[in-house]
Amino acid sequence: MRDLKNTGVNDRLQAQKAAKAALLAKFKPKPAVQDPEFEKLQAKREAEREALRQQRELEKAEQRRLKADADAARQAQEVAAQDAIDEARRAERKARKALTKEEQKQRRDQRYAARKARSR
């Protein structure tokens, strides 16, 4: 029967290689047909992404501005509170000094009156 087909060892090996190559060819990726609308859709999606990026950047900038305004207001409030505390301390110190001056004046007057009383 071998002689009828005229197949030798080399013929069988070549047939085996061809069958193996055909089997492997099934698993190779086939070139995909690109959709003509693909470029347009991709450009549209990119434009939408860019618009979203810009919108998010604007929102972040607005949040940073609001935070900066809040920080500035808080800082101004703290400065005003500190100024009020300092002013209260100054007023208290002035009152103490005025009281001290009054006390010194009274003591001086008492000494003067005591000297006058001794000399009489």
Side-chain angles (χ1 to χ4, degrees):
M1 290 236 242
R2 275 190 196 166
D3 292 338
L4 292 176
K5 290 188 177 180
N6 289 331
T7 56
V9 174
N10 288 333
D11 292 336
R12 288 192 304 265
L13 287 175
Q14 285 180 353
Q16 181 186 3
K17 284 182 185 177
K20 188 173 184 179
L23 187 63
L24 289 175
K26 280 200 259 181
F27 295 108
K28 284 187 180 177
K30 296 180 178 108
V33 178
Q34 261 194 331
D35 187 16
E37 298 291 317
F38 181 75
E39 298 287 331
K40 293 178 187 175
L41 288 173
Q42 190 174 7
K44 182 181 175 184
R45 288 179 188 140
E46 185 62 34
E48 288 174 355
R49 275 190 237 119
E50 186 61 32
L52 277 174
R53 254 186 235 118
Q54 289 177 354
Q55 182 180 1
R56 287 185 188 130
E57 184 61 34
L58 287 175
E59 289 172 359
K60 286 180 183 180
E62 181 67 19
Q63 287 176 351
R64 284 192 298 266
R65 187 188 62 79
L66 289 174
K67 184 178 178 184
D69 289 348
D71 287 345
R74 182 183 47 79
Q75 189 175 11
Q77 188 178 14
E78 287 175 0
V79 167
Q82 188 62 38
D83 286 346
I85 290 170
D86 291 345
E87 186 62 34
R89 285 181 182 165
R90 274 190 228 108
E92 183 182 325
R93 185 172 177 210
K94 278 186 178 183
R96 247 192 347 252
K97 279 191 171 186
L99 224 134
T100 306
K101 285 184 181 181
E102 287 293 322
E103 288 172 354
Q104 288 174 352
K105 188 175 179 183
Q106 285 177 354
R107 288 181 188 154
R108 189 180 64 231
D109 289 345
Q110 286 174 356
R111 284 192 309 258
Y112 180 72
R115 248 190 340 245
K116 282 285 192 177
R118 277 187 297 215
S119 65
R120 284 190 196 182

